[in-house]
Amino acid sequence: MEVVSKPAIEQLSCIRNCKPTTLFSGVPIIDLSKTDSKHFLVKACEELGFFKVVNHGVPVEFISKLESEALSFFSLPLSEKEKAGPPNPLGYGNRSIGPNGDVGWIEYLLFTINQDSFSQRFFEVFGSNPEEFRSALNDYISAVKKMACDILEMMADGLRIQPRTVFSKLLMDEQSDSVFRLNHYPPIPCPGPGIQTLNSNNTIGFGEHTDPQIISVLRSNNTSGLQISLENGNWISVPPDQNSFFINVGDSLQVMTNGRFKSVRHRVLANSMRSRVSMIYFGGPPLSEKIAPLPPLIKEEEESLYKEFTWFEYKRSAYNSRLADNRLVLFEKIAAS
């Protein structure tokens, strides 16, 4: 696939005065404080499956505190970090992504939203005061989860479906299978054996994939690397913005909207000069939740494009696949010949 490099556009000086949606290197910017943003959310989900949100309401101190704690952890000697691993699938991981041979120039921490599943020993890896890390994690996740639910309810309003909590209730459920990930992409050395490259100038940080959950909320520091795939197969680079959040439509939301919303394919290229830290909340439904197109979103002349499946079935299938696989193809309805 051709990589389309677009120069970073100068950051907006006063984000509060921007229009509800603005094209920014091909990525819509949506102001969540505007009453008509629900229409632009739907448009962005239909056309790209990806957008940036501003005026999001997440306190800046929550963002900066967790990033500081993450950087402190990732700066530890490898032998110390490995005490929080290996990922099975939760915990600390390095280079290997999942069980099926995918690798990247990355180290990461993967958490379940229910941190009670981690032992006190796990958090003792995070410095002399592990409660500082746990507190920063809880504050950030709570705020981002609320924003994700608000966005999902605005989507439901924009689609004119009731109740407006039809998507958000799956994240609010006590049994919600949501996870949180901290990714660190160190500056890359000269490419050598075992380092996966896209071409002579680009090293794979995290290979191309879609997210299987309902919605993903991404925030990163001011280092480039994120790319999304357009419908024509070209890739565009997403300029970093450490003050805003990027939203991905996941596979489950694509199914629930019967393909109306697009699950965006994306990847991360490692930076040769600066480290990149990203924090991603993956909003997932309960394991027993049945995923299928919502009847109000299937028009009279249409049929359901997907078989009904539980989130557990889809999660298991995704976990057993390679990153770049089209996971949804196994759950599509095949038209009778």
Side-chain angles (χ1 to χ4, degrees):
M1 294 182 182
E2 179 187 359
V3 177
V4 178
S5 297
K6 293 194 174 184
I9 302 174
E10 186 177 349
Q11 297 286 344
L12 297 173
S13 58
C14 186
I15 205 102
R16 288 191 177 274
N17 293 325
C18 71
K19 296 177 182 178
T21 181
T22 308
L23 283 183
F24 184 78
S25 191
V27 176
I29 301 178
I30 297 177
D31 185 340
L32 294 183
S33 69
K34 305 292 186 181
T35 56
D36 58 351
S37 290
K38 59 188 179 183
H39 305 299
F40 299 103
L41 284 171
V42 168
K43 188 173 189 297
C45 291
E46 290 176 337
E47 295 182 354
L48 199 61
F50 182 85
F51 53 92
K52 181 166 81 169
V53 295
V54 298
N55 293 329
H56 44 70
V58 178
V60 66
E61 59 268 27
F62 289 1
I63 299 171
S64 56
K65 177 62 175 174
L66 183 57
E67 182 178 289
S68 175
E69 292 289 337
L71 286 170
S72 295
F73 172 80
F74 288 124
S75 67
L76 292 172
L78 180 60
S79 59
E80 288 298 305
K81 291 183 285 191
E82 286 179 334
K83 293 178 181 177
N88 189 30
L90 306 172
Y92 173 77
N94 190 334
R95 300 288 301 280
S96 295
I97 303 170
N100 302 304
D102 289 299
V103 296
W105 189 250
I106 185 176
E107 58 178 344
Y108 62 89
L109 280 164
L110 185 62
F111 301 89
T112 177
I113 299 304
N114 177 17
Q115 295 164 35
D116 293 340
S117 61
F118 291 95
S119 66
Q120 183 62 28
R121 178 180 170 277
F122 174 85
F123 280 100
E124 286 174 357
V125 176
F126 301 93
S128 57
N129 188 357
E131 286 307 312
E132 283 286 317
F133 188 95
R134 191 193 288 267
S135 175
L137 199 61
N138 283 334
D139 287 344
Y140 181 87
I141 290 174
S142 295
V144 169
K145 176 182 176 181
K146 180 183 182 303
M147 176 182 63
C149 289
D150 289 344
I151 289 171
L152 289 171
E153 290 176 9
M154 292 171 70
M155 288 178 185
D157 285 342
L159 290 168
R160 299 179 180 179
I161 54 176
Q162 293 292 333
R164 70 191 306 263
T165 57
V166 64
F167 302 128
S168 64
K169 68 180 181 181
L170 302 178
L171 274 57
M172 297 300 294
D173 194 296
E174 289 185 0
Q175 301 301 315
S176 169
D177 185 43
S178 298
V179 294
F180 182 71
R181 188 178 184 112
L182 289 169
N183 287 339
H184 178 230
Y185 304 90
I188 55 175
C190 296
I195 297 180
Q196 213 176 8
T197 58
L198 186 65
N199 52 44
S200 59
N201 298 315
N202 293 296
T203 297
I204 297 294
F206 205 110
E208 65 175 274
H209 63 287
T210 59
D211 295 336
Q213 291 87 355
I214 295 170
I215 191 173
S216 306
V217 181
L218 163 72
R219 183 265 168 194
S220 68
N221 64 351
N222 207 27
T223 302
S224 62
L226 177 64
Q227 295 187 329
I228 61 172
S229 178
L230 302 180
E231 203 168 24
N232 62 8
N234 288 337
W235 291 86
I236 62 168
S237 296
V238 178
D241 181 349
Q242 59 188 354
N243 300 312
S244 303
F245 289 88
F246 294 95
I247 310 298
N248 293 1
V249 170
D251 295 344
S252 296
L253 188 55
Q254 176 171 317
V255 171
M256 294 177 75
T257 60
N258 203 36
R260 182 168 170 179
F261 287 4
K262 310 300 181 187
S263 181
V264 64
R265 185 164 288 269
H266 54 288
R267 68 187 180 192
V268 175
L269 303 182
N271 191 288
S272 61
M273 303 297 294
R274 301 175 57 188
S275 66
R276 173 182 168 89
V277 175
S278 58
M279 311 189 293
I280 314 103
Y281 167 81
F282 298 96
L287 289 171
S288 60
E289 183 70 27
K290 293 180 179 179
I291 307 296
L294 299 175
L297 296 180
I298 302 177
K299 298 177 182 177
E300 287 185 10
E301 67 275 13
E302 291 181 341
E303 294 183 1
S304 170
L305 299 178
Y306 303 96
K307 307 171 188 174
E308 183 180 88
F309 53 86
T310 65
W311 168 240
F312 174 78
E313 290 170 331
Y314 191 63
K315 181 180 179 180
R316 180 177 58 187
S317 175
Y319 187 70
N320 289 328
S321 67
R322 298 292 300 269
L323 274 179
D325 289 348
N326 180 353
R327 302 176 177 123
L328 274 178
V329 72
L330 299 176
F331 297 86
E332 293 174 353
K333 283 190 174 180
I334 301 174
S337 56

